Amino acid sequence: PTVPEKTPCCAIWITRLSNGDSERLTQGDYNDDSPMLVGDKLYFISDRSGIFNLYCADLKSKQTRQLTSYEKYGIRIASAGAGAIAFVRAGRIHLHDLASGQRRALEVRADADQTELKPRNAGATRRIDSISLTASGDRAVIEARGEALIFDPASGTAQNLTRTPGVAERSPVPSPDGRSIVYFSDESGE
């Protein structure tokens, strides 16, 4: 019996739209991904070294060379544009300049939308995450928007038991005698 040839998960093919001919550009028992055609060069990431690194295949000479040699935390995703390859590695965005071959990590700052950080009243009915009835069934303990509430169905009123904006109370339940409420809180940071 013959053993079937092992096929890589991802190989890169190029198809010429003029005649429909397809050619497999990468060969081997590894994964090639994120192909980026820039002029007559194809840039891509591959795990042929064990970790995903950046490679370049010259379509004219059919030569492929490895551009990065990361041994830990390989490249996760890459995209070409404006004379550079942008890629994500180790939780940071990097640029590989195509002209110089130099790489640098970008400093990214995202300023928070300050209006979202201001205190405000928000309806809780659409964010009810848990409900538990007291032993007598006359009241419900509710978790909504990180607050512990007790609801009296007879009067239709709810009382916020914790009143701790910025702190999340989770999974509140009444004690068997109905005199206490137990819940988890992240107030301590844990």
Side-chain angles (χ1 to χ4, degrees):
T2 60
V3 176
E5 183 180 323
K6 189 172 182 182
T7 305
C9 176
C10 299
I12 297 175
W13 294 71
I14 192 163
T15 301
R16 287 167 185 73
L17 299 178
S18 60
N19 59 14
D21 288 346
S22 292
E23 173 188 4
R24 184 173 173 174
L25 294 178
T26 58
Q27 307 287 330
D29 186 20
Y30 38 76
N31 298 293
D32 297 325
D33 203 354
S34 301
M36 300 158 278
L37 191 58
V38 179
D40 60 352
K41 292 184 174 32
L42 178 78
Y43 295 88
F44 60 97
I45 60 174
S46 178
D47 66 353
R48 52 185 76 188
S49 67
I51 294 287
F52 276 98
N53 275 286
L54 183 63
Y55 289 80
C56 177
D58 186 306
L59 299 179
K60 290 181 180 178
S61 70
K62 305 290 185 197
Q63 298 296 312
T64 299
R65 62 189 171 100
Q66 185 173 342
L67 301 177
T68 62
S69 54
Y70 299 119
E71 295 178 4
K72 187 175 182 183
Y73 308 120
I75 297 171
R76 295 192 48 176
I77 190 166
S79 183
I85 304 288
F87 60 89
V88 177
R89 178 186 170 269
R92 299 195 63 195
I93 299 172
H94 300 258
L95 283 182
H96 175 86
D97 184 273
L98 295 178
S100 69
Q102 298 295 311
R103 283 175 302 285
R104 65 185 173 93
L106 297 180
E107 292 298 324
V108 178
R109 289 182 40 123
D111 292 326
D113 182 357
Q114 297 298 316
T115 59
E116 287 296 313
L117 299 176
K118 291 180 181 177
R120 66 188 188 285
N121 290 327
T125 56
R126 292 188 177 180
R127 289 295 315 262
I128 294 175
D129 294 315
S130 71
I131 299 177
S132 298
L133 293 177
T134 59
S136 63
D138 64 337
R139 297 187 191 265
V141 177
I142 299 171
E143 172 198 340
R145 300 189 64 85
E147 297 286 346
L149 311 166
I150 190 151
F151 175 67
D152 180 359
S155 66
T157 60
Q159 178 186 359
N160 186 337
L161 300 173
T162 51
R163 296 186 182 278
T164 52
V167 175
E169 282 86 30
R170 301 284 183 226
S171 307
V173 293
S175 63
D177 63 9
R179 295 170 69 188
S180 301
I181 305 295
V182 179
Y183 54 88
F184 293 97
S185 172
D186 67 358
E187 188 170 13
S188 70
E190 302 239 354

